[in-house]
Amino acid sequence: MAKPAKAASSAPLPPRTRAENNANKLVKLGLRTDMDLVLHLPTRYEDETQVFSIQQAAAMPNAQVEGVVTACEVQYRPRRQLVVTIADDSSQLTMRFLNFYGSQAKQLAEGTRVRARGEVRHGFFGAEMVHPNYKVVLEGAPLPTALTPVYPSGEGLSQAFLRKAIADAMARAVWHDTLPETLRASLKLAAFEPAVRLLHNPPADVDEGALEDRSHPAWVRMKFDELLAQQLSLKRAQAARRAKVANPLAQIGALSQKFLQGLPFSLTGAQQRVLAEIRADLRAVHPMQRLLQGDVGSGKTVVAALAAAQAIDSGFQAALMAPTEILADQHFRKIAAWMEPLGVKVAWLTGSLKKKEKAEAQARIESGEAQLVIGTHALIQEAVQFARLGLVIVDEQHRFGVGQRLALRNKGNKVVGLDALHTRGTVPHQLMMSATPIPRTLAMTYYADLEVSVIDELPPGRTPILTRVIDQERRDEVIARVHAAALEGRQVYWVCPLIEESEALQLQTATDTHATLAAALPDLRVGLVHGRLKPAEKQQVMDAFARGDTHVLVATTVIEVGVDVPNASLMVIEHAERFGLSQLHQLRGRVGRGAAASACLLLYQGPLGPTAKQRLHTMREYTDGFEIARIDLQIRGPGEFLGARQSGQAMLRFADLETDQWLVERARDAAQTLLRTDPATVEAHLARWLGVREDYLKV
Ligand code: ADP
Ligand code: MG
């Protein structure tokens, strides 16, 4: 292959000017326009408005002092450093610089007057500052009257440069207030320009506490503006998505009817209600975007299967995607057992299939022979082409990354095959399912573009799960209890501790636990399942447990999501203090699915820290997933709740979803009104706040 001509690529580039370099660095920070700079607000402030005498400063943790240099020398012991002594009328102070330029020694020659600001330490020779901020001043030079802003900065961009760039941008900026006067008045919001100016140059008498915790009216205005932009953008993205064309899945035909009739139970009221909502959405010519929420065990799967039946009745394919192979496998076997007798062709697709099997599955999907496809994210990662995909169902959707979900959303655009003409340019309907209740503020931000259906009722005949928190020391009693339960014909999950640092160690622990339990319970059959087993082995173990052949199943957290064995009614979780709340709740949801009274024993190793104590206490006191999620949010904060990038917090620079919930609600209401009544304001506000960020918000 011919190499590109070398001469061309090595031609000298024109030397970059410093200004160009700085401009590039600004762009890296996302600062392109004057308004971007104006809205680049300080993270904190430094107080240079006062000078203290050196004697006073010696008793303060931080201070600014002013004095005249009395000595300046480079010392070599214990290491090379510049040591400068300054004095005022009250005392003297040493400034130490471990890294310095030769020019600094000249600049700080004897007799020079400097202002120095920094942490005051007490060294052998009295008060000291190590690497203080300093500047050379003339006697009587005026002090700043405003606090000095400190800006978020990138590598190599000095605060001085940013301050100047921002000040210049403020002088050039067009300062109209994007909010109508009436809206501002009704929400008692500060005006835009004074708020921004105050944040860049707070007067010396400003309430510094309110600046710091961002409760100052100027900050409130910024946060509101930012949240409003987010709401407007999400609502617009939603409208755009709704405007896309989907194939209406209009038939609720023979398959749907036979399926319902064949179920061994009737749907709960809540299931019927959400099914009606989904059925109506699927008939529409615009894609459904619905989140189906319901606590673990509330019966989401059957609702999803009925949605799939409607797609198939209408002559389209449906795909169901789950985040783990075990979960996908459960869906596959459960739904296939329901549907195959009714003549539905079901295909199975995961990453672990052999090449040939995969190719076969793909061919069946592409030809349209497979009406229902169940699998893991291999469904979007592999080169799968659907003949006529009408509906995509994503289980435990919050466990998939944003990118994966987007890929799925786009899947419908790549449709080829028999009915290509019929489906070209359409997107599939989407049903997302989650057992993790989304807290209200997150639902209003990150999920603002989804419709939400909630199954708020458990199927009848469930007995509440009794939860006990037990010291690890009492393990023998717990093993005796497991034995007794097994003799009564009940089955037991024994969950091994989470060892985040080391998968190998986690595996080892699981193997050890299995060996110990098998030895302690010689008359019982004890199984072991973990993430390292081959899919076929995993399936064997799970099958044996589901059939009731195994009494006790020792498991790592692979059973966390979705596994459904109604006869299992006792769960032991070891080192429960290492698990998060939602994880404990998900795990516990594996029991309490049958008629037998269920129990969950949380073994812990003391002493417990306050957070672990609170988590275990919460698990003992509450069974309602929504309540548990609320407490979890309090403990962890929303950033971590769904992973920082997904939380909606990631898009926000100033507002905080947790502390600013009330503002989120006001911004949402204002967004609704503005979109209806005032498109000019919507445009102006989005232009100011989004700029280059818009793409990001759409995710
Ligand atoms: P999840 O919402 O956690 O995904 P599943 O769909 O796995 O819950 O349902 C849990 C169990 O409840 C399954 O065994 C399912 O067959 C059963 N189930 C679902 N709906 C009903 C109902 N209306 N009546 C009785 N049992 C039901
Ligand atoms: Mg489920």
Side-chain angles (χ1 to χ4, degrees), residues 265-268 271 295-302 334 459-460 462 564 566 593:
F265 48 75
S266 50
L267 298 184
T268 62
Q271 284 170 319
D295 208 348
V296 269
S298 61
K300 297 183 289 294
T301 315
V302 67
K334 185 154 203 166
R462 302 271 168 92
D564 186 30
R593 296 185 158 224

Side-chain angles (χ1 to χ4, degrees), residues 296-297 299-301 327 331 395-396 433 435 561-563 590 593:
V296 269
K300 297 183 289 294
T301 315
L327 188 51
H331 281 316
D395 196 12
E396 302 296 342
M433 302 197 282
V561 280
V563 175
R590 301 308 113 216
R593 296 185 158 224

Side-chain angles (χ1 to χ4, degrees), residues 110-129:
E110 249 173 72
T112 311
R113 175 174 289 272
V114 293
R115 269 183 205 150
R117 190 169 41 78
E119 193 182 325
V120 187
R121 301 199 200 169
H122 299 280
F124 191 67
F125 299 105
E128 278 194 8
M129 285 182 183

